Amino acid sequence: MDQIKILVVDDEPNIVSTVRAYLEKDNFRVFTASTGPEALDAARRLDPDLIVLDIMLPGLDGLDLLREVRKQSDVYVLMLTAKTEETDRIVGLTMGADDYMTKPFSPRELVARVKAILRRDRGTTGAQETVRLAFERLVIHLDEHRAWKDGEEIELTAMEFDLLHVFARHPGLVLSREQLVRQVWEYDYYGDDRVVDVHVGRLRKKIEDEPASPTLITTVRGAGYRFEDKPV
């Protein structure tokens, strides 16, 4: 991972130095920014693979920064928030953040989450694995990370694609939130279940005719979600 670039954005020097030290220990190339405008400029210049982004920033807060970044990039984003900022966490996930951690956090866990996020676009398809999944309404090309609904391509983020991939691998089966976390996030996740719900909601907006009344990914009350499209 020595070629992977990570931008750490936080206005607390102690947090920046600690996170940088742990990431560099794992051979990541680390760049830092302490204000929103500085971070936005760095994101444009450096084209990082992942951004560790604090919500509370001077000049331009983390949510506004995320909104600007998402206009031009699908870079992975791991948000840092205070425990009291639950609404901001949900809004950030809805806007396209891939994951979040609350302060104070374990630097080792942060590195583990960074690695898990970065694994999402690696080798999910092997030579022995089917690279095309076809259903009545959806077609998914695993090797290209592309999907189509009724013949029209769907614009999906890496997280949304991985989530759809997991559902498509288990058509008709009920997947619990815990199972989705293990297969998509790939680490022991200790956050609340609404993180999964938010990402499922984002995916539904992309693939459902009526997201409020889903027919492709349905909710099984008290159990989880089920992928309803029929294989062909």
Side-chain angles (χ1 to χ4, degrees):
M1 291 189 177
D2 56 336
Q3 299 301 310
I4 291 176
K5 296 180 290 186
I6 298 180
L7 176 61
V8 178
V9 185
D10 199 301
D11 63 341
E12 298 182 51
N14 290 340
I15 290 179
V16 172
S17 62
T18 299
V19 170
R20 179 171 198 159
Y22 273 82
L23 289 171
E24 288 182 340
K25 185 177 180 181
D26 274 86
N27 296 319
F28 292 106
R29 294 179 61 193
V30 181
F31 304 86
T32 66
S34 58
T35 70
E38 181 185 354
L40 184 58
D41 177 67
R44 289 169 174 166
R45 286 188 295 102
L46 300 171
D47 189 25
D49 298 284
L50 183 144
I51 301 175
V52 178
L53 176 61
D54 186 30
I55 288 289
M56 301 300 293
L57 293 170
L60 185 71
D61 71 29
L63 293 178
D64 287 336
L65 176 60
L66 176 59
R67 185 179 295 108
E68 291 300 315
V69 167
R70 278 288 172 258
K71 290 179 181 178
Q72 50 198 284
S73 173
D74 195 29
V75 60
Y76 292 120
V77 176
L78 171 61
M79 294 192 310
L80 302 179
T81 74
K83 288 185 176 180
T84 57
E85 295 168 350
E86 181 178 19
T87 300
D88 285 345
R89 294 197 293 271
I90 300 302
V91 171
L93 292 169
T94 303
M95 290 170 53
D98 296 282
D99 199 359
Y100 75 85
M101 295 186 69
T102 56
K103 297 179 178 180
F105 56 85
S106 161
R108 290 187 179 88
E109 184 183 354
L110 183 142
V111 173
R113 293 205 187 187
V114 165
K115 290 179 177 179
I117 292 171
L118 291 170
R119 280 199 299 269
R120 289 173 190 158
D121 67 347
R122 296 182 170 208
T124 52
T125 61
Q128 78 286 359
E129 187 176 15
T130 302
V131 297
R132 181 178 181 272
L133 300 177
F135 300 86
E136 290 181 351
R137 302 199 64 188
L138 296 172
V139 175
I140 304 167
H141 283 210
L142 304 178
D143 54 343
E144 299 178 4
H145 273 231
R146 300 170 70 187
W148 290 260
K149 173 190 169 186
D150 298 334
E152 294 188 10
E153 187 166 2
I154 313 163
E155 294 296 328
L156 299 174
T157 66
M159 167 66 76
E160 291 161 356
F161 183 89
D162 287 346
L163 188 57
L164 180 60
H165 178 194
V166 171
F167 278 123
R169 281 294 183 197
H170 304 88
L173 299 181
V174 177
L175 297 177
S176 69
R177 292 170 177 82
E178 291 78 10
Q179 288 173 313
L180 291 170
V181 164
R182 286 198 299 270
Q183 295 190 54
V184 178
W185 278 258
E186 298 185 11
Y187 56 80
D188 293 329
Y189 182 72
Y190 299 103
D192 60 61
D193 287 344
R194 276 191 286 181
V195 172
V196 176
D197 296 338
V198 168
H199 284 292
V200 170
R202 283 173 48 192
L203 179 58
R204 280 172 167 168
K205 289 180 180 179
K206 302 285 186 72
I207 69 171
E208 297 283 359
D209 293 334
E210 298 182 20
S213 301
T215 59
L216 296 175
I217 299 176
T218 59
T219 300
V220 181
R221 188 175 298 276
Y225 297 98
R226 180 167 51 217
F227 184 69
E228 305 281 9
D229 206 5
K230 307 300 183 188
V232 295

